[in-house]
Amino acid sequence: MTDTPQLLLAHHLKALRLPTFRREYDKLARQCAAEDVDHVRYLVRLTELELIDRERRMVERRIRLARFPAVKSLDAFDFKAIPSLNKMMVLELARCEYIERRENVIALGNSGTGKTHIALGLGLAACQKGLSVGFITAAALVHELMEARDEKRLLRFQKQLAKYQLLIIDELGFVPLSKTGAELLFEVFSQRYERGSTLLTSNLPFDEWTEVFGSERLTGALLDRLTHHVHILEMNGDSYRLNQSQKRRKPPKSD
């Protein structure tokens, strides 16, 4: 019979979805009793533990739903390796206020300069701020759009994309688009205009985007929407990936 209250409490806490309460209440009760802490402060400590753990789980869930190819933070980025990149602007963007204002970010630079790392770092910062994030390459997005159109679920997929507070589209310009693919991608940008933030990375300067979209009219209309409220990150320089790889392979100095 002595186990009945504990069993009931465990059952209730599970039903209320308070796993940290369930895991920590007994240990914390003993600790508070030893410290002569009253019941209110005990409950404060216990609820704080639950809130901290709940926020951690929610961040992990947002990261999982974002479908990042890797989890990378801005702390791990070597800004000195890319002098053209405005570090203060990146750190300001990490506060995510541009997302609340539904502004865009475009990272431009030659291959290997860390554009994807910066995009992932800003995406992680947004997840940690409680915002919904989606990550996809431009080529994969166009493929999924065309597949959705063929399967008559395009509208549903477009609505799904529109729900993201931040949509990261990586590697625009690596693969030329078909006429249909370009039009479908343009529609994504058009639907998000002033409704949600888009972070785009590209290895091409703006004057070469016509080669990707195949139409000056479409490219002009796209740039008009993307650059209306935009933060541009210039990331030209030596290959960041190559520099990082060389640093890892460099043998340690002997005494």
Side-chain angles (χ1 to χ4, degrees):
M1 291 294 292
T2 55
D3 290 337
T4 303
Q6 283 85 352
L7 289 172
L8 279 172
L9 181 58
H11 173 78
H12 295 334
L13 291 174
K14 186 176 181 181
L16 290 167
R17 297 181 181 178
L18 297 169
T20 310
F21 255 65
R22 185 181 175 193
R23 188 175 63 247
E24 300 290 342
Y25 80 88
D26 187 52
K27 181 176 71 175
L28 188 61
R30 294 171 191 274
Q31 182 182 327
C32 287
E35 296 174 8
D36 199 25
V37 172
D38 63 39
H39 68 283
V40 175
R41 287 185 175 84
Y42 162 67
L43 287 172
V44 168
R45 289 188 189 182
L46 198 54
T47 50
E48 282 175 347
L49 287 174
E50 184 69 50
L51 286 169
I52 290 167
D53 200 45
R54 182 171 295 187
E55 178 58 29
R56 178 189 59 78
R57 293 195 304 272
M58 288 175 67
V59 170
E60 289 174 353
R61 182 173 182 272
R62 285 191 288 268
I63 290 170
R64 187 170 64 253
L65 292 174
R67 296 166 65 187
F68 296 133
V71 178
K72 293 189 177 184
S73 70
L74 294 173
D75 293 339
F77 189 83
D78 183 7
F79 285 91
K80 292 178 182 177
I82 308 294
S84 65
L85 178 61
N86 186 332
K87 180 180 178 180
M88 293 308 296
M89 183 188 290
V90 174
L91 297 180
E92 176 64 27
L93 290 172
R95 296 171 61 184
C96 300
E97 292 172 3
Y98 74 99
I99 300 175
E100 295 169 16
R101 297 190 297 266
R102 297 175 178 85
E103 297 168 351
N104 300 322
V105 178
I106 302 177
L108 298 174
N110 45 296
S111 184
T113 52
K115 298 183 298 296
T116 300
H117 188 148
I118 290 294
L120 289 168
L122 290 174
L124 177 62
C127 287
Q128 291 168 337
K129 293 281 187 180
L131 302 168
S132 58
V133 181
F135 182 101
I136 193 167
T137 65
L141 177 55
V142 169
H143 175 77
E144 289 195 29
L145 285 164
M146 295 184 73
E147 195 174 74
R149 184 202 59 170
D150 294 343
E151 295 173 1
K152 294 183 171 46
R153 54 179 179 84
L154 180 60
L155 186 60
R156 188 164 75 247
F157 184 48
Q158 287 173 330
K159 285 181 178 178
Q160 178 187 330
L161 292 171
K163 286 180 181 178
Y164 290 119
Q165 290 168 285
L166 174 64
L167 178 62
I168 301 173
I169 302 175
D170 198 27
E171 299 181 343
L172 179 73
F174 280 79
V175 181
L177 305 176
S178 66
K179 183 176 183 296
T180 303
E183 289 171 352
L184 287 169
L185 186 57
F186 171 79
E187 190 64 23
V188 171
F189 291 123
S190 184
Q191 288 172 348
R192 293 187 61 78
Y193 177 59
E194 296 190 329
R195 296 188 187 96
S197 294
T198 303
L199 194 164
L200 192 65
T201 77
S202 178
N203 63 324
L204 297 177
F206 291 137
D207 58 7
E208 294 181 25
W209 282 25
T210 306
E211 297 173 16
V212 179
F213 289 92
S215 161
E216 288 188 12
R217 179 189 59 79
L218 192 67
T219 306
L222 170 66
L223 286 172
D224 183 57
R225 285 163 174 76
L226 274 178
T227 61
H228 185 201
H229 310 288
V230 72
H231 305 269
I232 297 175
L233 301 175
E234 296 282 354
M235 297 186 64
N236 281 306
D238 297 331
S239 173
Y240 177 83
R241 280 197 296 266
L242 181 60
N243 289 337
Q244 293 298 302
S245 178
Q246 288 173 339
K247 284 181 182 178
R248 285 194 295 270
R249 288 202 301 265
K250 190 178 289 185
K253 291 181 180 179
S254 56
D255 296 332

